[in-house]
Amino acid sequence: MTTLFVSDLHLEDARPAVTDLFLRFLREEAMRADALYVLGDLFEAWVGDDDPSDAGAAVAAGLREVADAGVPVAFQHGNRDFLIGHAYAARAGMRLLPDPAVVDLYGTPTLIGHGDQLCTDDAAYQAFRRQTRDPAWQAGFLAQPLEARLAFARQAREASRAHLAEVGAGPGGDVTDVTPATVEATFARYGVVRMIHGHTHRPAVHALDVGGVARTRIVLGDWFDQGSVLRVDGDAVRLSALG
């Protein structure tokens, strides 16, 4: 049996083919897994559990079928869908996990998370993250009418694109990628030898030496042009694309 990890699907009504690909993945593979973990940015935007998107409704039904088949489904918030709440999680049959969290994968404690907390060189984004994760800010936002929240989400997407264009690459390196010192400190803080995350859209398996100990950092890919799935089966780790 296999435990599956995905992140950064960025599903939205404007990209129905990708939603269909994910639903097919749920039906054809996730139904047979030991567990499914979604490490954030399942949706391009989420304005509250009354979000009216067709993608949100279809994905909730698809995940519920997986959960009803006896496969545990767990979700961690990303930087796009941090407002997914308990109501939607209940509809989808998924358990909300803190970010980060340590899970036992076939005897190996593994740190999992969306990954945006590791990008500490991007000070502007980290300030935005602190603001939007504040319970008081979230309560105030969710109290607004649906149309106002949808308008905010559109503006936030445009601001995000502009920010990425401005800071993406420069003389000091790419601040949208993880900060190596933060990765090392995170490994040391949690005392694990393996980390799995998304967010950066740079799929890879990195071998590291932290404090004289061999560690592995696995980065999940996005679902813009294809699907990206990590399969963990005992000691075997396979990161591959779905066509």
Side-chain angles (χ1 to χ4, degrees):
M1 295 292 283
T2 303
T3 296
L4 304 172
F5 293 84
V6 297
S7 74
D8 299 285
L9 292 90
H10 293 267
L11 302 178
E12 57 179 333
D13 289 350
R15 298 167 58 236
V18 180
T19 299
D20 290 344
L21 177 64
F22 181 57
L23 294 175
R24 192 176 78 222
F25 161 75
L26 294 179
R27 291 191 305 268
E28 296 179 357
E29 184 169 2
M31 287 283 194
R32 305 188 305 273
D34 282 339
L36 170 64
Y37 290 87
V38 182
L39 305 190
D41 282 1
L42 177 59
F43 298 106
E44 173 66 9
W46 193 259
V47 299
D49 287 352
D50 57 348
D51 189 287
S53 66
D54 292 336
V59 168
L63 289 171
R64 167 57 71 177
E65 289 183 6
V66 174
D68 287 348
V71 179
V73 179
F75 172 81
Q76 291 177 308
H77 293 105
N79 55 295
R80 299 294 185 130
D81 52 15
F82 53 85
L83 289 172
I84 285 180
H86 292 284
Y88 186 79
R91 282 175 58 195
M94 61 186 188
R95 178 168 56 108
L96 298 179
L97 293 180
D99 179 8
V102 176
V103 297
D104 188 309
L105 287 180
Y106 309 103
T108 300
T110 301
L111 185 69
I112 63 172
H114 180 57
D116 53 340
Q117 295 185 68
L118 301 171
C119 302
T120 53
D121 283 347
D122 191 347
Y125 169 72
Q126 293 301 328
F128 172 79
R129 189 184 192 283
R130 287 191 295 272
Q131 177 192 44
T132 55
R133 297 308 191 277
D134 181 82
W137 185 93
Q138 293 189 1
F141 179 81
L142 292 172
Q144 297 180 40
L146 176 60
E147 284 304 318
R149 286 180 273 139
L150 290 169
F152 176 88
R154 289 191 292 270
Q155 294 169 0
R157 286 198 295 272
E158 290 303 318
S160 175
R161 293 188 186 102
H163 177 65
L164 291 175
E166 179 182 355
V167 306
D174 190 343
V175 303
T176 65
D177 200 358
V178 300
T179 302
T182 303
V183 170
E184 293 186 7
T186 301
F187 268 121
R189 182 182 311 125
Y190 288 92
V192 297
V193 297
R194 184 165 62 193
M195 178 190 304
I196 300 171
H197 69 83
H199 180 64
T200 65
H201 301 195
R202 295 170 170 87
V205 178
H206 300 275
L208 307 171
D209 183 302
V210 180
V213 177
R215 324 259 184 165
T216 303
R217 179 172 69 92
I218 304 170
V219 186
L220 307 177
D222 61 61
W223 285 55
F224 281 106
D225 298 317
Q226 59 191 8
S228 178
V229 181
L230 173 68
R231 300 170 178 88
V232 180
D233 183 1
D235 292 330
V237 173
R238 293 175 291 128
L239 181 62
S240 59
L242 294 177

